[in-house]
Amino acid sequence: MQKNRCTLALIAQRVRYILMVIIFVGASMLHLHLGVRIVLRRSIQNLMDLHISYDEKMRRRYNWCYDFMSFIRKNTPDDATILFPHQFVWSYSNGYFLLPRRLHYGNREILRKLKPPVYVVIYKEFPTFQVEGPRMIHDSLSGLIHYQPKSTGE
Amino acid sequence: MIVFILLLCGILFLGSSFTSLFKCKLSWWERFGLAYGVGLGTLTFGVFLLSLVGAPFGKYTLVFALAVWLAVIWYVKRKRRDELNLRIHWDRPSLPEITLAGGILLVSLASLVESVVQPIWSLDAVAIWAVKGKAIFSLGTVRVAGNYGYHAFYPLNIPIAIALFYHFGEPFVKSIFPFYFMAMLMVFYGSLRRHGCRNTAFAGTLILALTPLVYVHSTIAYADLPMAFYYTSSVIYLYAFFKENNRAFLMLSSVLVGMGCWTRPDGPIWLFPNLAVLTIYALRRKQWLDPVLYVGPILFFFVPWSVFTHYIIKAGTIFYLDAALKSLKQLLTLNIETAHLWKILCHFYRECVALGSSGLRWGYVWLLFFSVLLLYCTRIRKYSYLLAVIGLDILVLFFIYYSALLDGRAVELRGGFNRVVLHFFPLVLFQTILLISDDIRRWRSKADTRRSY
């Protein structure tokens, strides 16, 4: 009786060994296959992107926004103050492209509080109030107004 | 480039000095991996503390923070008459080990290359982490970080690290994350090596390195991988404490959870499983002081940031807190919405068993874990504490998913909330390898006996 029980335990142990080997090897192979595919695909993409400029890569992701940010960067000094519309679509990330420029969001009241010169962003219908100053046009939707009231001594 | 390497050496030196304060037996791999994570975490925390007393962000503050930390560490070491131990033990590797190590190295290099070639372009990575880092770097002060991007209450470990790496130009910034990836692999390998044979440890590390979600996160600038590094290491050393009852492991685990809280706002949530299992351990062993000791270093990292966000910059309430409280109330009163539970179970099934429909797959690690757990159900008792931590982690994950559904953010199960599972992969793999390593050891000894005949 005891001998039979020992044999049964031994068989159970061997079955477990075999099952463990099948599951471990099988699952590991499938997992590694999945991982290798991703690593290879991304590495090939990286090799293809080696000659592409930073601007081009960013443009791929941010499209119009990146072009507009580059336009603002090109036309404003590093210490410029810029006024964006209150709910500008890219308000959370535009600081990444425009810092160290000081960015503000709002309307005429905010503009009055800012010390000129201020660059007011043209975006769709914004600004809805009158802003004097030379205009720099980016496209039909967007641009910049260099606001500098005459009273400041321009 | 030379200055960049010097900075890395400084971080590694600070980290290795800090970890050498804990008198526990760590392999060279573990020390090296921990040195990066702990070094960077302590340095950014030091910069943050200095900013609270008005210090601007810059090279001098960095050097000052590094010097102050080293002075404190060396003072403690001198008091305890310790010495810095960085001896390298290296056995001659076999051919399979060299092949596996080569595979791991290639994956790590691929991740590093991608971080240099591709700029930070993920929307959330820019709006939560990178913009804050750039603000700190460009405006020269840590306090302004909350004004940029969203979620001002998110801790600043990663933004300060980004600002630190910005000194060397844009391509270096993203390298923070592949280094965290390598550090995680090193700690994982070292701790597996402590409990099992070298081949299994290498194979386990390779499986972890090739987990799609983990690999992808080492190439994008999200804080989830650093968080996974800190939390995984903390659980691994908590397990080492349960096994060896050496309080140095407990304190190391606590410091790592503390740094997790300093990395992501969900750090305190993941503290709960560790603390619950530790309390059970302490009650069973009548070591009442352990849970109290465990909380100390966590509070050291957590309280200054909480005070700063609530009282100094007034960052507002955490956006998911309302949903979390609502779902907790529902769970406590057993007023559970079964439709939500069903949705979560379906999500689990899709990602673990049917391998998901999303681009960032979970891979086969979970399937492996549950199958091995079923096969070795008789050995569960031996690893009860570690399994309890993993079990509670899964419960917390359910809770997070449930809260997200209550908050009407079902779509985030595949997106934002999919990232929450990142630390499960190393933990689940660690447990799987531990379960099967007993059998492997038995086979090897049997084979050796036969060979000797």
Side-chain angles (χ1 to χ4, degrees):
Chain A
M1 185 71 178
Q2 204 170 0
K3 199 181 168 187
N4 278 349
R5 211 176 285 162
C6 277
T7 325
L8 269 175
L10 204 70
I11 291 168
Q13 202 184 28
R14 288 213 171 141
V15 168
R16 197 176 66 186
Y17 282 169
I18 294 163
L19 272 175
M20 197 276 283
V21 169
I22 293 169
I23 290 170
F24 188 76
V25 173
S28 304
M29 284 299 134
L30 288 170
H31 185 83
L32 292 181
H33 167 71
L34 208 66
V36 167
R37 223 171 50 184
I38 282 189
V39 174
L40 278 180
R41 206 177 55 208
R42 292 177 82 105
S43 299
I44 291 167
Q45 183 64 48
N46 292 332
L47 287 177
M48 282 159 64
D49 285 357
L50 268 178
H51 66 283
I52 298 173
S53 68
Y54 173 84
D55 285 337
E56 198 55 50
K57 285 173 201 159
M58 291 306 269
R59 196 170 292 123
R60 250 193 232 162
R61 177 70 180 181
Y62 287 92
N63 307 318
W64 174 87
C65 170
Y66 186 73
D67 283 334
F68 186 42
M69 293 301 141
S70 305
F71 167 80
I72 297 176
R73 218 167 38 218
K74 217 167 84 183
N75 289 296
T76 54
D78 276 356
D79 59 347
T81 306
I82 305 171
L83 181 73
F84 280 91
H86 186 62
Q87 284 178 323
F88 186 62
V89 195
W90 300 93
S91 58
Y92 288 122
S93 48
N94 57 2
Y96 184 66
F97 306 111
L98 298 176
L99 277 163
R101 292 159 187 82
R102 287 181 297 275
L103 313 178
H104 296 271
Y105 301 87
N107 47 22
R108 195 199 305 253
E109 279 66 47
I110 302 290
L111 180 64
R112 271 189 205 138
K113 285 178 194 164
L114 297 174
K115 197 182 158 197
V118 178
Y119 290 86
V120 180
V121 164
I122 303 171
Y123 179 66
K124 292 182 181 171
E125 279 94 46
F126 188 83
T128 47
F129 47 93
Q130 188 67 36
V131 182
E132 286 172 24
R135 288 173 181 243
M136 292 164 268
I137 301 300
H138 174 243
D139 57 23
S140 58
L141 269 182
S142 57
L144 269 178
I145 307 172
H146 187 191
Y147 172 68
Q148 193 164 24
K150 280 171 187 160
S151 57
T152 57
E154 191 188 34
Chain B
M1 189 69 186
I2 294 168
V3 186
F4 178 71
I5 293 167
L6 275 176
L7 172 78
L8 271 185
C9 290
I11 289 169
L12 289 174
F13 186 67
L14 174 63
S16 58
S17 308
F18 196 94
T19 43
S20 69
L21 286 176
F22 307 102
K23 288 182 176 174
C24 47
K25 208 178 161 192
L26 296 173
S27 68
W28 177 81
W29 290 91
E30 285 170 292
R31 278 191 191 282
F32 205 72
L34 283 174
Y36 176 72
V38 172
L40 194 59
T42 33
L43 187 60
T44 56
F45 192 68
V47 170
F48 167 67
L49 290 182
L50 285 175
S51 80
L52 288 182
V53 291
F57 178 83
K59 285 171 195 164
Y60 298 112
T61 311
L62 283 175
V63 173
F64 186 68
L66 194 70
V68 170
W69 272 120
L70 285 175
V72 171
I73 292 163
W74 286 98
Y75 175 75
V76 174
K77 286 177 86 69
R78 214 178 142 185
K79 271 255 176 194
R80 291 184 352 190
R81 294 180 185 180
D82 289 350
E83 59 177 53
L84 193 64
N85 181 17
L86 263 178
R87 278 183 220 125
I88 299 171
H89 303 281
W90 182 257
D91 306 325
R92 205 175 151 197
S94 63
L95 192 67
E97 284 165 1
I98 293 172
T99 319
L100 284 168
I104 294 164
L105 196 70
L106 275 178
V107 177
S108 306
L109 275 178
S111 151
L112 191 61
V113 167
E114 181 159 346
S115 78
V116 175
V117 173
Q118 305 291 359
I120 302 176
W121 50 257
S122 304
L123 224 61
D124 274 358
V126 168
I128 300 177
W129 310 107
V131 72
K132 288 177 185 163
K134 197 157 184 180
I136 295 169
F137 171 73
S138 323
L139 304 173
T141 166
V142 174
R143 285 176 180 233
V144 295
N147 302 340
Y148 291 89
Y150 45 80
H151 307 329
F153 58 87
Y154 271 43
L156 291 180
N157 182 15
I158 297 303
I160 295 176
I162 288 175
L164 194 68
F165 279 53
Y166 250 119
H167 281 110
F168 311 99
E170 191 96 24
F172 289 95
V173 174
K174 246 173 104 182
S175 61
I176 298 168
F177 303 94
F179 286 139
Y180 264 114
F181 178 61
M182 289 179 212
M184 187 159 86
L185 294 182
M186 280 175 154
V187 171
F188 187 76
Y189 169 75
S191 42
L192 269 184
R193 182 80 186 86
R194 197 148 20 101
H195 302 291
C197 70
R198 199 153 57 173
N199 277 333
T200 353
F202 263 127
T205 314
L206 186 65
I207 294 173
L208 176 64
L210 284 169
T211 301
L213 199 64
V214 176
Y215 176 76
V216 168
H217 270 269
S218 74
T219 62
I220 53 173
Y222 283 73
D224 301 85
L225 186 82
M227 176 68 206
F229 163 79
Y230 289 123
Y231 187 68
T232 306
S233 314
S234 84
V235 175
I236 284 172
Y237 293 117
L238 190 64
Y239 170 68
F241 166 71
F242 292 145
K243 216 178 161 197
E244 296 179 23
N245 203 24
N246 177 357
R247 272 201 180 137
F249 280 122
L250 183 76
M251 299 318 287
L252 183 58
S253 164
S254 168
V255 164
L256 288 161
V257 175
M259 284 187 183
C261 296
W262 168 234
T263 304
R264 269 195 62 85
D266 51 349
I269 301 172
W270 299 109
L271 165 69
F272 161 72
N274 289 17
L275 204 59
V277 177
L278 177 66
T279 310
I280 294 167
Y281 175 86
L283 287 174
R284 285 178 74 179
R285 290 236 176 178
K286 290 176 186 162
Q287 295 178 181
W288 319 110
L289 205 60
D290 289 343
V292 182
L293 282 175
Y294 196 68
V295 175
I298 297 166
L299 290 179
F300 174 71
F301 284 100
F302 185 63
V303 171
W305 173 248
S306 299
V307 171
F308 180 74
T309 47
H310 283 97
Y311 300 105
I312 299 177
I313 60 166
K314 296 191 171 64
T317 52
I318 299 174
F319 70 94
Y320 49 74
L321 207 63
D322 287 342
L325 289 174
K326 200 174 149 192
S327 56
L328 192 67
K329 199 177 156 191
Q330 278 200 4
L331 292 174
L332 289 177
T333 52
L334 292 176
N335 183 22
I336 302 163
E337 288 184 36
T338 41
H340 287 343
L341 274 185
W342 181 244
K343 249 184 209 168
I344 298 168
L345 283 173
C346 286
H347 177 72
F348 262 118
Y349 172 78
R350 221 172 20 238
E351 296 294 337
C352 300
V353 186
L355 273 175
S357 50
S358 59
L360 293 179
R361 288 171 168 183
W362 288 10
Y364 291 78
V365 172
W366 289 69
L367 190 65
L368 188 70
F369 170 66
F370 287 121
S371 318
V372 169
L373 204 63
L374 212 67
L375 276 174
Y376 290 89
C377 50
T378 49
R379 270 186 221 159
I380 283 175
R381 234 181 121 82
K382 193 178 167 188
Y383 302 102
S384 53
Y385 287 120
L386 183 58
L387 277 168
V389 173
I390 295 174
L392 284 174
D393 271 349
I394 294 174
L395 272 182
V396 171
L397 187 71
F398 252 87
F399 176 69
I400 290 174
Y401 280 1
Y402 190 80
S403 316
L405 288 175
L406 271 188
D407 208 22
R409 287 184 287 144
V411 70
E412 290 205 26
L413 282 189
R414 279 187 201 167
F417 278 81
N418 211 358
R419 285 180 255 144
V420 179
V421 299
L422 217 59
H423 63 259
F424 276 92
F425 297 103
L427 284 185
V428 155
L429 249 178
F430 186 71
Q431 179 63 82
T432 310
I433 302 283
L434 285 188
L435 277 168
I436 62 168
S437 60
D438 293 343
D439 265 356
I440 291 171
R441 218 175 289 138
R442 208 170 299 146
W443 287 342
R444 280 175 79 108
S445 63
K446 261 186 193 173
D448 287 345
T449 326
R450 261 185 229 144
R451 223 173 287 147
S452 65
Y453 279 120

